[in-house]
Amino acid sequence: MDKNINFTLKVWRQNGPQAEGHFDTFQMKDIPTDTSFLEMLDILNEQLIEANKEPFVFDHDCREGICGMCSLYINGHPHGPAQGGTTCQLYMRSFNDGDTITVEPWRSAAFPVIKDCMVNRSAFDEIMAAGGYITVRTGAAQDANAIPIPKDKADEAMDCASCIGCGACVAACKNGSAMLFVSSKISQFALLPQGRVEAARRAKSMVAKMEELGFGNCTNTRACEAECPKNETVANIARLNREFIKAKLND
């Protein structure tokens, strides 16, 4: 049965990457538990606007768990306490009356704060531009049986491709590593014959770009795997390491 809850909401406020940030605290009253987390933040902003105060800035787009834009760090977890979902899929029924809810941005040197909890994640776009594609003719679609692919490989590649690039893996990692994201994107090609032609160049260029942009090293704590809203696995990181080592040995 749905009910209303009251809670304390602490949100991070920051005017830019070089500005000093702070928490603002609000008392939220009579919020229905069937309200989504982002709808709750909309309610907060409506109240702030009515009081002639500056609204809280956060990122969002599809609100369907597809785009990965809703990058909020909630009570010590990327996307909040529920596993296997994004912030926009989180509902207030996951919290209790009287709770204190703390909302922060992704904290990574590679994801500078734009405003409050909106961060610049264009570093992921740069990594993809470095090699996250295949250069093949993309005209008329081929017959489905033209390139035989074992179903288990096709299924695994599709699982890797489900990574939405939200950056939760980076936010969860104590070193701010992007290895789970990069390895998922490399794996989706490495598992398919279409991606093997440029496999060596892809592994080297994407890893080099990741390091250039200031992401940290992987220390195998598996926090990224635990917090990933699309359940990407560290098996992808093992595959990335194999692809990278093979590429370097063939130089």
Side-chain angles (χ1 to χ4, degrees):
M1 179 177 178
D2 291 328
K3 61 178 182 178
N4 293 354
I5 59 173
N6 304 319
F7 53 90
T8 300
L9 179 65
K10 298 174 66 176
V11 298
W12 183 256
R13 309 303 295 265
Q14 187 173 343
N15 286 325
Q18 305 305 320
E20 184 175 345
H22 67 277
F23 284 105
D24 279 351
T25 302
F26 304 95
Q27 299 302 319
M28 304 299 292
K29 305 290 186 181
D30 297 323
I31 303 298
T33 54
D34 61 354
T35 301
S36 77
F37 197 86
L38 295 189
E39 288 171 339
M40 180 274 294
L41 294 179
D42 290 337
I43 293 171
L44 168 65
N45 278 342
E46 288 174 359
Q47 295 174 353
L48 291 174
I49 291 170
E50 288 177 0
N52 293 317
K53 295 180 180 179
E54 188 174 10
F56 168 62
V57 177
F58 60 97
D59 223 345
H60 62 92
D61 191 5
C62 74
R63 299 202 178 199
E64 295 179 345
I66 298 171
C67 70
M69 293 293 287
C70 52
S71 47
L72 294 177
Y73 199 80
I74 304 165
N75 284 357
H77 295 276
H79 294 300
Q83 290 187 316
T86 55
T87 298
C88 63
Q89 296 172 302
L90 178 67
Y91 283 80
M92 298 311 298
R93 66 178 69 97
S94 296
F95 303 94
N96 299 313
D97 189 69
D99 277 355
T100 296
I101 302 174
T102 304
V103 183
E104 302 172 74
W106 283 177
R107 297 193 183 277
S108 170
F111 292 160
V113 170
I114 298 173
K115 175 79 171 177
D116 295 345
C117 284
M118 177 185 285
V119 301
N120 183 348
R121 292 180 294 125
S122 62
F124 273 7
D125 296 328
E126 293 186 50
I127 292 173
M128 290 300 291
Y133 54 85
I134 56 174
T135 53
V136 299
R137 185 177 68 84
T138 56
Q142 291 181 309
D143 182 85
N145 296 319
I147 304 178
I149 302 172
K151 187 178 186 303
D152 61 329
K153 294 298 183 184
D155 288 345
E156 190 175 0
M158 182 62 73
D159 289 342
C160 297
S162 68
C163 168
I164 55 177
C166 67
C169 51
V170 177
C173 179
K174 64 181 182 180
N175 293 335
S177 173
M179 282 289 281
L180 189 62
F181 165 75
V182 175
S183 66
S184 295
K185 295 305 179 183
I186 284 179
S187 292
Q188 73 184 63
F189 295 115
L191 288 161
L192 300 176
Q194 296 94 326
R196 294 311 308 167
V197 178
E198 300 162 299
R201 183 195 60 77
R202 179 181 300 110
K204 289 187 293 184
S205 60
M206 292 182 73
V207 169
K209 179 58 69 173
M210 175 180 66
E211 294 176 347
E212 174 191 324
L213 292 169
F215 290 101
N217 295 321
C218 174
T219 51
N220 298 312
T221 63
R222 303 182 73 167
C224 55
E225 181 182 68
E227 300 287 3
C228 176
K230 296 301 179 181
N231 300 310
E232 296 294 342
T233 169
V234 293
N236 293 339
I237 297 178
R239 185 179 295 107
L240 164 60
N241 289 334
R242 292 193 298 271
E243 292 289 316
F244 184 78
I245 292 171
K246 286 191 294 184
K248 297 298 285 186
L249 289 176
N250 291 330
D251 276 350

